[in-house]
mmCIF file with all atom_site columns, all heavy atoms in Angstrom:
data_model
loop_
_atom_site.group_PDB
_atom_site.id
_atom_site.type_symbol
_atom_site.label_atom_id
_atom_site.label_alt_id
_atom_site.label_comp_id
_atom_site.label_asym_id
_atom_site.label_entity_id
_atom_site.label_seq_id
_atom_site.pdbx_PDB_ins_code
_atom_site.Cartn_x
_atom_site.Cartn_y
_atom_site.Cartn_z
_atom_site.occupancy
_atom_site.B_iso_or_equiv
_atom_site.pdbx_formal_charge
_atom_site.auth_seq_id
_atom_site.auth_comp_id
_atom_site.auth_asym_id
_atom_site.auth_atom_id
_atom_site.pdbx_PDB_model_num
ATOM 1   N N   . ILE A 1 1  ? 183.563 132.897 81.960  1.00 0.00 ? 1  ILE A N   1
ATOM 2   C CA  . ILE A 1 1  ? 182.218 133.070 82.565  1.00 0.00 ? 1  ILE A CA  1
ATOM 3   C C   . ILE A 1 1  ? 181.950 132.019 83.603  1.00 0.00 ? 1  ILE A C   1
ATOM 4   O O   . ILE A 1 1  ? 181.462 132.287 84.693  1.00 0.00 ? 1  ILE A O   1
ATOM 5   C CB  . ILE A 1 1  ? 181.166 133.036 81.473  1.00 0.00 ? 1  ILE A CB  1
ATOM 6   C CG1 . ILE A 1 1  ? 181.287 134.330 80.657  1.00 0.00 ? 1  ILE A CG1 1
ATOM 7   C CG2 . ILE A 1 1  ? 179.753 132.921 82.078  1.00 0.00 ? 1  ILE A CG2 1
ATOM 8   C CD1 . ILE A 1 1  ? 180.329 134.326 79.465  1.00 0.00 ? 1  ILE A CD1 1
ATOM 9   N N   . ARG A 1 2  ? 182.286 130.709 83.249  1.00 0.00 ? 2  ARG A N   1
ATOM 10  C CA  . ARG A 1 2  ? 182.025 129.658 84.245  1.00 0.00 ? 2  ARG A CA  1
ATOM 11  C C   . ARG A 1 2  ? 182.934 129.830 85.499  1.00 0.00 ? 2  ARG A C   1
ATOM 12  O O   . ARG A 1 2  ? 182.484 129.681 86.626  1.00 0.00 ? 2  ARG A O   1
ATOM 13  C CB  . ARG A 1 2  ? 182.383 128.291 83.614  1.00 0.00 ? 2  ARG A CB  1
ATOM 14  C CG  . ARG A 1 2  ? 181.372 127.872 82.572  1.00 0.00 ? 2  ARG A CG  1
ATOM 15  C CD  . ARG A 1 2  ? 181.573 126.403 82.144  1.00 0.00 ? 2  ARG A CD  1
ATOM 16  N NE  . ARG A 1 2  ? 182.822 126.157 81.494  1.00 0.00 ? 2  ARG A NE  1
ATOM 17  C CZ  . ARG A 1 2  ? 183.011 126.238 80.213  1.00 0.00 ? 2  ARG A CZ  1
ATOM 18  N NH1 . ARG A 1 2  ? 181.983 126.559 79.387  1.00 0.00 ? 2  ARG A NH1 1
ATOM 19  N NH2 . ARG A 1 2  ? 184.182 126.013 79.634  1.00 0.00 ? 2  ARG A NH2 1
ATOM 20  N N   . THR A 1 3  ? 184.155 130.297 85.259  1.00 0.00 ? 3  THR A N   1
ATOM 21  C CA  . THR A 1 3  ? 185.050 130.590 86.403  1.00 0.00 ? 3  THR A CA  1
ATOM 22  C C   . THR A 1 3  ? 184.483 131.717 87.242  1.00 0.00 ? 3  THR A C   1
ATOM 23  O O   . THR A 1 3  ? 184.507 131.688 88.487  1.00 0.00 ? 3  THR A O   1
ATOM 24  C CB  . THR A 1 3  ? 186.411 130.944 85.913  1.00 0.00 ? 3  THR A CB  1
ATOM 25  O OG1 . THR A 1 3  ? 186.940 129.886 85.141  1.00 0.00 ? 3  THR A OG1 1
ATOM 26  C CG2 . THR A 1 3  ? 187.382 131.239 87.062  1.00 0.00 ? 3  THR A CG2 1
ATOM 27  N N   . ALA A 1 4  ? 183.894 132.735 86.580  1.00 0.00 ? 4  ALA A N   1
ATOM 28  C CA  . ALA A 1 4  ? 183.357 133.879 87.293  1.00 0.00 ? 4  ALA A CA  1
ATOM 29  C C   . ALA A 1 4  ? 182.141 133.446 88.153  1.00 0.00 ? 4  ALA A C   1
ATOM 30  O O   . ALA A 1 4  ? 181.946 133.945 89.284  1.00 0.00 ? 4  ALA A O   1
ATOM 31  C CB  . ALA A 1 4  ? 182.904 134.944 86.286  1.00 0.00 ? 4  ALA A CB  1
ATOM 32  N N   . TYR A 1 5  ? 181.308 132.523 87.638  1.00 0.00 ? 5  TYR A N   1
ATOM 33  C CA  . TYR A 1 5  ? 180.191 132.020 88.475  1.00 0.00 ? 5  TYR A CA  1
ATOM 34  C C   . TYR A 1 5  ? 180.675 131.326 89.709  1.00 0.00 ? 5  TYR A C   1
ATOM 35  O O   . TYR A 1 5  ? 180.134 131.569 90.790  1.00 0.00 ? 5  TYR A O   1
ATOM 36  C CB  . TYR A 1 5  ? 179.339 130.982 87.616  1.00 0.00 ? 5  TYR A CB  1
ATOM 37  C CG  . TYR A 1 5  ? 178.272 131.694 86.775  1.00 0.00 ? 5  TYR A CG  1
ATOM 38  C CD1 . TYR A 1 5  ? 178.355 131.742 85.400  1.00 0.00 ? 5  TYR A CD1 1
ATOM 39  C CD2 . TYR A 1 5  ? 177.132 132.191 87.430  1.00 0.00 ? 5  TYR A CD2 1
ATOM 40  C CE1 . TYR A 1 5  ? 177.374 132.304 84.630  1.00 0.00 ? 5  TYR A CE1 1
ATOM 41  C CE2 . TYR A 1 5  ? 176.130 132.765 86.656  1.00 0.00 ? 5  TYR A CE2 1
ATOM 42  C CZ  . TYR A 1 5  ? 176.268 132.783 85.258  1.00 0.00 ? 5  TYR A CZ  1
ATOM 43  O OH  . TYR A 1 5  ? 175.282 133.377 84.521  1.00 0.00 ? 5  TYR A OH  1
ATOM 44  N N   . LEU A 1 6  ? 181.750 130.526 89.547  1.00 0.00 ? 6  LEU A N   1
ATOM 45  C CA  . LEU A 1 6  ? 182.300 129.871 90.756  1.00 0.00 ? 6  LEU A CA  1
ATOM 46  C C   . LEU A 1 6  ? 182.860 130.898 91.709  1.00 0.00 ? 6  LEU A C   1
ATOM 47  O O   . LEU A 1 6  ? 182.665 130.774 92.905  1.00 0.00 ? 6  LEU A O   1
ATOM 48  C CB  . LEU A 1 6  ? 183.373 128.873 90.298  1.00 0.00 ? 6  LEU A CB  1
ATOM 49  C CG  . LEU A 1 6  ? 182.906 127.674 89.497  1.00 0.00 ? 6  LEU A CG  1
ATOM 50  C CD1 . LEU A 1 6  ? 184.113 126.841 89.064  1.00 0.00 ? 6  LEU A CD1 1
ATOM 51  C CD2 . LEU A 1 6  ? 181.963 126.783 90.306  1.00 0.00 ? 6  LEU A CD2 1
ATOM 52  N N   . GLN A 1 7  ? 183.512 131.867 91.174  1.00 0.00 ? 7  GLN A N   1
ATOM 53  C CA  . GLN A 1 7  ? 184.119 132.908 92.016  1.00 0.00 ? 7  GLN A CA  1
ATOM 54  C C   . GLN A 1 7  ? 183.022 133.652 92.795  1.00 0.00 ? 7  GLN A C   1
ATOM 55  O O   . GLN A 1 7  ? 183.155 133.897 93.997  1.00 0.00 ? 7  GLN A O   1
ATOM 56  C CB  . GLN A 1 7  ? 184.937 133.864 91.245  1.00 0.00 ? 7  GLN A CB  1
ATOM 57  C CG  . GLN A 1 7  ? 186.236 133.279 90.671  1.00 0.00 ? 7  GLN A CG  1
ATOM 58  C CD  . GLN A 1 7  ? 186.912 134.260 89.747  1.00 0.00 ? 7  GLN A CD  1
ATOM 59  O OE1 . GLN A 1 7  ? 186.330 135.216 89.335  1.00 0.00 ? 7  GLN A OE1 1
ATOM 60  N NE2 . GLN A 1 7  ? 188.157 133.929 89.394  1.00 0.00 ? 7  GLN A NE2 1
ATOM 61  N N   . LEU A 1 8  ? 181.939 133.956 92.161  1.00 0.00 ? 8  LEU A N   1
ATOM 62  C CA  . LEU A 1 8  ? 180.816 134.665 92.832  1.00 0.00 ? 8  LEU A CA  1
ATOM 63  C C   . LEU A 1 8  ? 180.182 133.770 93.892  1.00 0.00 ? 8  LEU A C   1
ATOM 64  O O   . LEU A 1 8  ? 179.754 134.260 94.973  1.00 0.00 ? 8  LEU A O   1
ATOM 65  C CB  . LEU A 1 8  ? 179.767 135.090 91.797  1.00 0.00 ? 8  LEU A CB  1
ATOM 66  C CG  . LEU A 1 8  ? 180.263 136.207 90.824  1.00 0.00 ? 8  LEU A CG  1
ATOM 67  C CD1 . LEU A 1 8  ? 179.200 136.443 89.783  1.00 0.00 ? 8  LEU A CD1 1
ATOM 68  C CD2 . LEU A 1 8  ? 180.582 137.439 91.553  1.00 0.00 ? 8  LEU A CD2 1
ATOM 69  N N   . GLY A 1 9  ? 180.087 132.501 93.677  1.00 0.00 ? 9  GLY A N   1
ATOM 70  C CA  . GLY A 1 9  ? 179.515 131.580 94.665  1.00 0.00 ? 9  GLY A CA  1
ATOM 71  C C   . GLY A 1 9  ? 180.402 131.557 95.913  1.00 0.00 ? 9  GLY A C   1
ATOM 72  O O   . GLY A 1 9  ? 179.870 131.570 97.039  1.00 0.00 ? 9  GLY A O   1
ATOM 73  N N   . PHE A 1 10 ? 181.708 131.553 95.688  1.00 0.00 ? 10 PHE A N   1
ATOM 74  C CA  . PHE A 1 10 ? 182.634 131.599 96.850  1.00 0.00 ? 10 PHE A CA  1
ATOM 75  C C   . PHE A 1 10 ? 182.579 132.874 97.589  1.00 0.00 ? 10 PHE A C   1
ATOM 76  O O   . PHE A 1 10 ? 182.735 132.936 98.854  1.00 0.00 ? 10 PHE A O   1
ATOM 77  C CB  . PHE A 1 10 ? 184.085 131.275 96.444  1.00 0.00 ? 10 PHE A CB  1
ATOM 78  C CG  . PHE A 1 10 ? 184.395 129.826 96.220  1.00 0.00 ? 10 PHE A CG  1
ATOM 79  C CD1 . PHE A 1 10 ? 184.613 129.333 94.938  1.00 0.00 ? 10 PHE A CD1 1
ATOM 80  C CD2 . PHE A 1 10 ? 184.410 128.930 97.290  1.00 0.00 ? 10 PHE A CD2 1
ATOM 81  C CE1 . PHE A 1 10 ? 184.872 128.012 94.748  1.00 0.00 ? 10 PHE A CE1 1
ATOM 82  C CE2 . PHE A 1 10 ? 184.652 127.606 97.083  1.00 0.00 ? 10 PHE A CE2 1
ATOM 83  C CZ  . PHE A 1 10 ? 184.889 127.113 95.811  1.00 0.00 ? 10 PHE A CZ  1
ATOM 84  N N   . VAL A 1 11 ? 182.329 133.977 96.877  1.00 0.00 ? 11 VAL A N   1
ATOM 85  C CA  . VAL A 1 11 ? 182.166 135.276 97.554  1.00 0.00 ? 11 VAL A CA  1
ATOM 86  C C   . VAL A 1 11 ? 180.985 135.252 98.494  1.00 0.00 ? 11 VAL A C   1
ATOM 87  O O   . VAL A 1 11 ? 180.992 135.766 99.617  1.00 0.00 ? 11 VAL A O   1
ATOM 88  C CB  . VAL A 1 11 ? 181.979 136.388 96.501  1.00 0.00 ? 11 VAL A CB  1
ATOM 89  C CG1 . VAL A 1 11 ? 181.569 137.718 97.144  1.00 0.00 ? 11 VAL A CG1 1
ATOM 90  C CG2 . VAL A 1 11 ? 183.324 136.581 95.802  1.00 0.00 ? 11 VAL A CG2 1
ATOM 91  N N   . CYS A 1 12 ? 179.882 134.580 98.058  1.00 0.00 ? 12 CYS A N   1
ATOM 92  C CA  . CYS A 1 12 ? 178.688 134.480 98.938  1.00 0.00 ? 12 CYS A CA  1
ATOM 93  C C   . CYS A 1 12 ? 178.972 133.689 100.158 1.00 0.00 ? 12 CYS A C   1
ATOM 94  O O   . CYS A 1 12 ? 178.507 134.016 101.268 1.00 0.00 ? 12 CYS A O   1
ATOM 95  C CB  . CYS A 1 12 ? 177.550 133.837 98.148  1.00 0.00 ? 12 CYS A CB  1
ATOM 96  S SG  . CYS A 1 12 ? 176.879 134.853 96.832  1.00 0.00 ? 12 CYS A SG  1
ATOM 97  N N   . LEU A 1 13 ? 179.744 132.658 100.095 1.00 0.00 ? 13 LEU A N   1
ATOM 98  C CA  . LEU A 1 13 ? 180.052 131.763 101.250 1.00 0.00 ? 13 LEU A CA  1
ATOM 99  C C   . LEU A 1 13 ? 181.077 132.379 102.169 1.00 0.00 ? 13 LEU A C   1
ATOM 100 O O   . LEU A 1 13 ? 181.014 132.194 103.392 1.00 0.00 ? 13 LEU A O   1
ATOM 101 C CB  . LEU A 1 13 ? 180.568 130.417 100.698 1.00 0.00 ? 13 LEU A CB  1
ATOM 102 C CG  . LEU A 1 13 ? 179.555 129.551 99.938  1.00 0.00 ? 13 LEU A CG  1
ATOM 103 C CD1 . LEU A 1 13 ? 180.261 128.295 99.407  1.00 0.00 ? 13 LEU A CD1 1
ATOM 104 C CD2 . LEU A 1 13 ? 178.345 129.217 100.769 1.00 0.00 ? 13 LEU A CD2 1
ATOM 105 N N   . PHE A 1 14 ? 182.048 133.102 101.620 1.00 0.00 ? 14 PHE A N   1
ATOM 106 C CA  . PHE A 1 14 ? 183.106 133.596 102.438 1.00 0.00 ? 14 PHE A CA  1
ATOM 107 C C   . PHE A 1 14 ? 183.186 135.133 102.388 1.00 0.00 ? 14 PHE A C   1
ATOM 108 O O   . PHE A 1 14 ? 184.251 135.741 102.213 1.00 0.00 ? 14 PHE A O   1
ATOM 109 C CB  . PHE A 1 14 ? 184.456 133.004 101.986 1.00 0.00 ? 14 PHE A CB  1
ATOM 110 C CG  . PHE A 1 14 ? 184.454 131.510 102.051 1.00 0.00 ? 14 PHE A CG  1
ATOM 111 C CD1 . PHE A 1 14 ? 184.364 130.814 100.818 1.00 0.00 ? 14 PHE A CD1 1
ATOM 112 C CD2 . PHE A 1 14 ? 184.559 130.795 103.206 1.00 0.00 ? 14 PHE A CD2 1
ATOM 113 C CE1 . PHE A 1 14 ? 184.385 129.416 100.824 1.00 0.00 ? 14 PHE A CE1 1
ATOM 114 C CE2 . PHE A 1 14 ? 184.569 129.415 103.183 1.00 0.00 ? 14 PHE A CE2 1
ATOM 115 C CZ  . PHE A 1 14 ? 184.441 128.732 101.994 1.00 0.00 ? 14 PHE A CZ  1
ATOM 116 N N   . VAL A 1 15 ? 182.034 135.776 102.469 1.00 0.00 ? 15 VAL A N   1
ATOM 117 C CA  . VAL A 1 15 ? 181.984 137.220 102.247 1.00 0.00 ? 15 VAL A CA  1
ATOM 118 C C   . VAL A 1 15 ? 182.752 137.976 103.293 1.00 0.00 ? 15 VAL A C   1
ATOM 119 O O   . VAL A 1 15 ? 183.427 138.978 102.998 1.00 0.00 ? 15 VAL A O   1
ATOM 120 C CB  . VAL A 1 15 ? 180.505 137.675 102.160 1.00 0.00 ? 15 VAL A CB  1
ATOM 121 C CG1 . VAL A 1 15 ? 179.825 137.401 103.506 1.00 0.00 ? 15 VAL A CG1 1
ATOM 122 C CG2 . VAL A 1 15 ? 180.465 139.118 101.776 1.00 0.00 ? 15 VAL A CG2 1
ATOM 123 N N   . LEU A 1 16 ? 182.716 137.527 104.571 1.00 0.00 ? 16 LEU A N   1
ATOM 124 C CA  . LEU A 1 16 ? 183.395 138.290 105.607 1.00 0.00 ? 16 LEU A CA  1
ATOM 125 C C   . LEU A 1 16 ? 184.942 138.118 105.477 1.00 0.00 ? 16 LEU A C   1
ATOM 126 O O   . LEU A 1 16 ? 185.676 139.091 105.472 1.00 0.00 ? 16 LEU A O   1
ATOM 127 C CB  . LEU A 1 16 ? 182.951 137.792 106.980 1.00 0.00 ? 16 LEU A CB  1
ATOM 128 C CG  . LEU A 1 16 ? 181.487 138.122 107.348 1.00 0.00 ? 16 LEU A CG  1
ATOM 129 C CD1 . LEU A 1 16 ? 181.119 137.565 108.750 1.00 0.00 ? 16 LEU A CD1 1
ATOM 130 C CD2 . LEU A 1 16 ? 181.255 139.638 107.329 1.00 0.00 ? 16 LEU A CD2 1
ATOM 131 N N   . LEU A 1 17 ? 185.401 136.843 105.395 1.00 0.00 ? 17 LEU A N   1
ATOM 132 C CA  . LEU A 1 17 ? 186.837 136.643 105.205 1.00 0.00 ? 17 LEU A CA  1
ATOM 133 C C   . LEU A 1 17 ? 187.288 137.201 103.890 1.00 0.00 ? 17 LEU A C   1
ATOM 134 O O   . LEU A 1 17 ? 188.488 137.619 103.740 1.00 0.00 ? 17 LEU A O   1
ATOM 135 C CB  . LEU A 1 17 ? 187.178 135.123 105.340 1.00 0.00 ? 17 LEU A CB  1
ATOM 136 C CG  . LEU A 1 17 ? 186.892 134.479 106.693 1.00 0.00 ? 17 LEU A CG  1
ATOM 137 C CD1 . LEU A 1 17 ? 187.189 133.000 106.618 1.00 0.00 ? 17 LEU A CD1 1
ATOM 138 C CD2 . LEU A 1 17 ? 187.721 135.158 107.759 1.00 0.00 ? 17 LEU A CD2 1
ATOM 139 N N   . GLY A 1 18 ? 186.400 137.148 102.911 1.00 0.00 ? 18 GLY A N   1
ATOM 140 C CA  . GLY A 1 18 ? 186.782 137.661 101.626 1.00 0.00 ? 18 GLY A CA  1
ATOM 141 C C   . GLY A 1 18 ? 187.080 139.138 101.511 1.00 0.00 ? 18 GLY A C   1
ATOM 142 O O   . GLY A 1 18 ? 187.746 139.615 100.601 1.00 0.00 ? 18 GLY A O   1
ATOM 143 N N   . ALA A 1 19 ? 186.565 139.895 102.505 1.00 0.00 ? 19 ALA A N   1
ATOM 144 C CA  . ALA A 1 19 ? 186.825 141.339 102.551 1.00 0.00 ? 19 ALA A CA  1
ATOM 145 C C   . ALA A 1 19 ? 188.336 141.611 102.594 1.00 0.00 ? 19 ALA A C   1
ATOM 146 O O   . ALA A 1 19 ? 188.835 142.465 101.889 1.00 0.00 ? 19 ALA A O   1
ATOM 147 C CB  . ALA A 1 19 ? 186.106 142.007 103.736 1.00 0.00 ? 19 ALA A CB  1
ATOM 148 N N   . LEU A 1 20 ? 189.035 140.884 103.469 1.00 0.00 ? 20 LEU A N   1
ATOM 149 C CA  . LEU A 1 20 ? 190.482 141.053 103.529 1.00 0.00 ? 20 LEU A CA  1
ATOM 150 C C   . LEU A 1 20 ? 191.153 140.622 102.227 1.00 0.00 ? 20 LEU A C   1
ATOM 151 O O   . LEU A 1 20 ? 192.110 141.319 101.745 1.00 0.00 ? 20 LEU A O   1
ATOM 152 C CB  . LEU A 1 20 ? 191.059 140.264 104.711 1.00 0.00 ? 20 LEU A CB  1
ATOM 153 C CG  . LEU A 1 20 ? 190.562 140.722 106.089 1.00 0.00 ? 20 LEU A CG  1
ATOM 154 C CD1 . LEU A 1 20 ? 191.104 139.745 107.209 1.00 0.00 ? 20 LEU A CD1 1
ATOM 155 C CD2 . LEU A 1 20 ? 190.973 142.107 106.379 1.00 0.00 ? 20 LEU A CD2 1
ATOM 156 N N   . VAL A 1 21 ? 190.763 139.486 101.677 1.00 0.00 ? 21 VAL A N   1
ATOM 157 C CA  . VAL A 1 21 ? 191.381 139.012 100.435 1.00 0.00 ? 21 VAL A CA  1
ATOM 158 C C   . VAL A 1 21 ? 191.133 140.003 99.318  1.00 0.00 ? 21 VAL A C   1
ATOM 159 O O   . VAL A 1 21 ? 192.004 140.287 98.501  1.00 0.00 ? 21 VAL A O   1
ATOM 160 C CB  . VAL A 1 21 ? 190.830 137.599 100.101 1.00 0.00 ? 21 VAL A CB  1
ATOM 161 C CG1 . VAL A 1 21 ? 191.366 137.124 98.751  1.00 0.00 ? 21 VAL A CG1 1
ATOM 162 C CG2 . VAL A 1 21 ? 191.138 136.628 101.231 1.00 0.00 ? 21 VAL A CG2 1
ATOM 163 N N   . VAL A 1 22 ? 189.887 140.519 99.239  1.00 0.00 ? 22 VAL A N   1
ATOM 164 C CA  . VAL A 1 22 ? 189.548 141.413 98.194  1.00 0.00 ? 22 VAL A CA  1
ATOM 165 C C   . VAL A 1 22 ? 190.366 142.695 98.331  1.00 0.00 ? 22 VAL A C   1
ATOM 166 O O   . VAL A 1 22 ? 190.879 143.296 97.304  1.00 0.00 ? 22 VAL A O   1
ATOM 167 C CB  . VAL A 1 22 ? 188.049 141.731 98.209  1.00 0.00 ? 22 VAL A CB  1
ATOM 168 C CG1 . VAL A 1 22 ? 187.694 142.941 97.271  1.00 0.00 ? 22 VAL A CG1 1
ATOM 169 C CG2 . VAL A 1 22 ? 187.236 140.536 97.730  1.00 0.00 ? 22 VAL A CG2 1
ATOM 170 N N   . ALA A 1 23 ? 190.458 143.189 99.576  1.00 0.00 ? 23 ALA A N   1
ATOM 171 C CA  . ALA A 1 23 ? 191.296 144.414 99.762  1.00 0.00 ? 23 ALA A CA  1
ATOM 172 C C   . ALA A 1 23 ? 192.735 144.166 99.282  1.00 0.00 ? 23 ALA A C   1
ATOM 173 O O   . ALA A 1 23 ? 193.345 145.040 98.668  1.00 0.00 ? 23 ALA A O   1
ATOM 174 C CB  . ALA A 1 23 ? 191.278 144.755 101.230 1.00 0.00 ? 23 ALA A CB  1
ATOM 175 N N   . GLU A 1 24 ? 193.252 142.974 99.610  1.00 0.00 ? 24 GLU A N   1
ATOM 176 C CA  . GLU A 1 24 ? 194.621 142.630 99.208  1.00 0.00 ? 24 GLU A CA  1
ATOM 177 C C   . GLU A 1 24 ? 194.735 142.572 97.693  1.00 0.00 ? 24 GLU A C   1
ATOM 178 O O   . GLU A 1 24 ? 195.686 143.107 97.091  1.00 0.00 ? 24 GLU A O   1
ATOM 179 C CB  . GLU A 1 24 ? 195.049 141.309 99.852  1.00 0.00 ? 24 GLU A CB  1
ATOM 180 C CG  . GLU A 1 24 ? 196.406 140.796 99.391  1.00 0.00 ? 24 GLU A CG  1
ATOM 181 C CD  . GLU A 1 24 ? 197.577 141.648 99.934  1.00 0.00 ? 24 GLU A CD  1
ATOM 182 O OE1 . GLU A 1 24 ? 197.346 142.350 100.963 1.00 0.00 ? 24 GLU A OE1 1
ATOM 183 O OE2 . GLU A 1 24 ? 198.650 141.600 99.353  1.00 0.00 ? 24 GLU A OE2 1
#
């Protein structure tokens, strides 16, 4: 759960670049 919170925070900061990472 703690890891998931951190992951969600990074998604907010890098949402545009994360689209490619998420797709991969």
Side-chain angles (χ1 to χ4, degrees):
I1 290 175
R2 289 193 295 269
T3 302
Y5 272 109
L6 293 175
Q7 291 173 347
L8 292 174
F10 280 111
V11 168
C12 293
L13 295 175
F14 304 104
V15 62
L16 292 178
L17 295 177
L20 296 176
V21 176
V22 169
E24 176 70 21

